[in-house]
Amino acid sequence: MGDNGAELGLSNVAKMDLHPVFFSLPPWEHASSAWFSPPLELTRQWKKQRTTNGVAAITVVGGDDVDDDRSDYARKLRFRDLLRTYKQKISALEVVEESPESDVVFEDGSGDGMRLVQLLISCAEAVACRDRAQASALLCELKASALVLGTSFQRVASCFVQGLSDRLALVQPLGAVGIVGPATVPPLALDKKAEALRLAYELCPYLQFGHFVANASILEALEGESSVHVVDLGMTQGLPHGYQWRQLLHSLAGRGSPPPRRLRITGVGARVEHLQSIGDELKSYAASLGIHLEFLVLESNLESLRTDDFEIEQGEVVVVSSILQLHCVVKESRGALNSVLQVIHELSPAVLVLVEQDSSHNGPFFLGRFMEALHYYSAIFDSLDAMLPKYDTRRAKVEQFHFAEEIKNIVSCEGPARVERHERVDQWRRRMSRAGFHPAPIKMMAPAKQWLAKFKPTEGYTIAEEKGCLVLGWKSKPIIAASGWKC
């Protein structure tokens, strides 16, 4: 433990295989002021004193002249960022080496997995520092090792390599600041994304887990009610056939008590024809079960929602389902999310079921987000290995056209273009509490385990209850969290 509080012993540093920018004493312009600053004892070697009108000044990144006090304050802030980055690096590598998930990396029994981790981290550092030459060289090496049809970690690494390549193409050269233009990546064809999403739903338990918990919570809230209005934010993520609500209708028809006298579902989304097609299917299916269903389409994105858009009628019990939607409106200012939550709060729902990825992919520092995402998606790709044979084309489509799109958005995009802003369940608790919601604990551990047992193989998947939330994970790594909220 050094004086600065960072655990930088030789055993830890040896594992890190850091990008040379950390130890070769480069000039200041090699550092990105957004997250990197060298240790103070090293900056003393790099400071260049000059006299301007008899006043000593310090030259820092970008050539701005500031007085000593302001410069010292700025360096201390950036130094704390550096320490945080070091700790994230050490923590991530230790987790990869020591945790049960380490089989993801070392499945071939050699050190190739750790070498690939180190290359990815070094490349991420080079991209963050806008060192095009170093990043390009590392990307060439990575592309030869990160195989799309290789081991689970090679496959997930290939997605991160794509993201790093896209980000590198958008950053400005050394000495400049920020990212060029809107950091966007050409969208994938809708038909490929739709097919990949459907396969992800059918083959993986993650989305189905969200629908199962949401429907169970909604059924509990609707017990004995005669007039019900269900609001679906995002309308089942664009899945065909309205899978979630077909299951709810089936459950309503199958339970002992009569179904609601009047049931309305409002689907929120931008693709009106697609939503209306789903609604027509649902109404036909409901009629076959003896349930009267009204389906409404609300053409809107989440940030444009208003309370009056929902046409809530007197005496209706409102329930809201948000499956992997609200993280898309988590922005730097937090105003967009607060606006959406305010609209939902004004609906006075009996229950709001919130299902989100349980990982921290919205931190302020690129390298920290990169490490978190690498660990998270490594677990997902490892779970796909257990579910499907190595050369199954369905798995390749799910990985390259669904999860890879999420990874590339996290890694390569910034500003409004970065929509995959996943956060931990604890952060969501704080956000929901500040918006005026109160927890509605989900207590269905036994039914959830019975539901999970239908997936083969089930070994490796875990369900845990955490402060009233249900969390589905892979080898104890949290993947998806479901929570309930009321006004």
Side-chain angles (χ1 to χ4, degrees):
M1 178 76 72
D3 294 338
N4 53 25
E7 298 178 3
L8 299 178
L10 290 176
S11 59
N12 282 326
V13 173
K15 293 187 291 185
M16 292 160 63
D17 192 24
L18 294 174
H19 178 271
V21 72
F22 284 101
F23 293 122
S24 61
L25 305 186
W28 266 95
E29 60 266 23
H30 276 254
S32 169
S33 60
W35 69 273
F36 173 79
S37 173
L40 292 178
E41 61 272 15
L42 296 183
T43 64
R44 297 193 185 99
Q45 302 175 35
W46 300 345
K47 287 191 289 185
K48 296 181 179 179
Q49 300 291 340
R50 64 188 176 92
T51 301
T52 304
N53 295 328
V55 178
I58 299 175
T59 302
V60 293
V61 179
D64 296 328
D65 293 337
V66 295
D67 58 46
D68 285 345
D69 291 340
R70 292 180 60 190
S71 179
D72 287 343
Y73 177 72
R75 278 202 309 276
K76 288 176 182 177
L77 286 178
R78 293 196 297 271
F79 181 44
R80 283 198 292 269
D81 296 344
L82 172 65
L83 293 184
R84 187 182 293 109
T85 301
Y86 270 128
K87 290 176 180 178
Q88 287 171 337
K89 178 190 294 294
I90 293 170
S91 175
L93 288 176
E94 285 179 346
V95 166
V96 169
E97 282 189 318
E98 299 170 8
S99 71
E101 291 95 315
S102 62
D103 291 341
V104 177
V105 177
F106 294 110
E107 59 189 14
D108 59 359
S110 70
D112 291 344
M114 178 54 74
R115 173 61 178 163
L116 193 51
V117 172
Q118 293 171 333
L119 283 173
L120 282 169
I121 295 172
S122 295
C123 187
E125 290 169 352
V127 171
C129 294
R130 289 167 283 157
D131 187 342
R132 288 182 176 273
Q134 181 71 4
S136 298
L138 290 167
L139 281 170
C140 288
E141 187 172 354
L142 280 165
K143 288 175 181 178
S145 304
L147 306 177
V148 175
L149 296 177
T151 65
S152 65
F153 190 74
Q154 286 175 327
R155 298 196 310 274
V156 76
S158 72
C159 300
F160 281 87
V161 170
Q162 295 173 46
L164 288 171
S165 297
D166 292 337
R167 188 180 183 92
L168 183 63
L170 293 166
V171 300
Q172 297 184 20
L174 292 173
V177 177
I179 290 182
V180 174
T184 56
V185 179
L188 195 66
L190 280 178
D191 56 343
K192 288 185 177 180
K193 291 185 69 173
E195 181 185 11
L197 177 62
R198 178 183 60 80
L199 289 172
Y201 181 84
E202 294 174 355
L203 300 174
C204 310
Y206 306 121
L207 280 173
Q208 292 190 45
F209 169 79
H211 288 177
F212 168 78
V213 175
N215 285 353
S217 300
I218 290 171
L219 285 170
E220 182 179 345
L222 299 186
E223 186 67 38
E225 301 293 345
S226 60
S227 182
V228 175
H229 193 154
V230 177
V231 174
D232 183 354
L233 302 180
M235 195 57 197
T236 65
Q237 305 90 50
L239 285 165
H241 312 306
Y243 289 138
Q244 179 180 0
W245 306 123
R246 291 176 72 92
Q247 295 165 10
L248 180 69
L249 292 168
H250 179 78
S251 298
L252 284 172
R255 66 181 184 177
S257 57
R261 176 180 50 81
R262 188 181 187 199
L263 174 62
R264 298 203 296 163
I265 296 178
T266 294
V268 179
R271 299 168 59 195
V272 176
E273 292 183 3
H274 176 71
L275 295 184
Q276 194 58 61
S277 174
I278 291 176
D280 292 342
E281 288 187 37
L282 288 175
K283 287 192 290 185
S284 177
Y285 181 67
S288 70
L289 299 174
I291 298 175
H292 175 65
L293 172 65
E294 299 176 31
F295 186 85
L296 308 171
V297 175
L298 176 51
E299 183 182 6
S300 175
N301 58 40
L302 295 183
E303 297 176 55
S304 302
L305 287 178
R306 297 179 304 168
T307 308
D308 295 340
D309 294 337
F310 290 97
E311 303 178 9
I312 304 300
E313 297 184 359
Q314 187 70 26
E316 275 188 329
V317 174
V318 177
V319 295
V320 179
S321 174
S322 176
I323 312 292
L324 309 185
Q325 293 299 310
L326 288 187
H327 70 261
C328 296
V329 290
V330 176
K331 309 296 183 182
E332 286 87 350
S333 66
R334 291 187 284 188
L337 177 63
N338 291 341
S339 176
V340 174
L341 292 178
Q342 182 181 356
V343 169
I344 297 173
H345 194 275
E346 290 172 355
L347 297 177
S348 299
V351 66
L352 159 63
V353 183
L354 176 65
V355 179
E356 288 289 344
Q357 293 92 338
D358 189 12
S359 193
S360 181
H361 299 152
N362 193 37
F365 304 108
F366 166 69
L367 190 57
R369 297 198 306 267
F370 183 90
M371 305 280 241
E372 285 276 357
L374 183 60
H375 193 197
Y376 178 83
Y377 286 100
S378 293
I380 290 180
F381 276 53
D382 189 41
S383 72
L384 290 171
D385 248 11
M387 298 290 291
L388 295 167
K390 185 174 183 178
Y391 294 107
D392 195 307
T393 56
R394 296 174 300 169
R395 188 185 68 180
K397 290 179 180 178
V398 170
E399 291 176 349
Q400 294 299 317
F401 300 142
H402 179 64
F403 289 120
E405 290 300 295
E406 293 183 3
I407 292 169
K408 287 189 288 186
N409 187 268
I410 294 168
V411 173
S412 67
C413 295
E414 290 295 348
R418 181 158 61 86
V419 296
E420 299 296 343
R421 296 174 177 264
H422 314 144
E423 296 188 324
R424 297 278 187 191
V425 67
D426 285 340
Q427 180 66 15
W428 281 110
R429 286 195 192 96
R430 290 189 287 271
R431 291 188 184 278
M432 299 302 290
S433 296
R434 285 196 297 264
F437 290 91
H438 304 286
I442 298 174
K443 298 179 179 179
M444 57 177 71
M445 177 68 83
K449 288 186 175 180
Q450 292 175 0
W451 170 86
L452 183 61
K454 71 179 184 179
F455 283 91
K456 303 297 181 183
T458 58
E459 184 179 356
Y461 289 109
T462 58
I463 290 182
E465 186 175 344
E466 181 184 329
K467 298 179 182 179
C469 304
L470 278 186
V471 181
L472 175 65
W474 174 254
K475 295 182 179 179
S476 299
K477 170 64 180 175
I479 303 295
I480 296 287
S483 59
W485 300 90
K486 57 187 179 181
C487 297

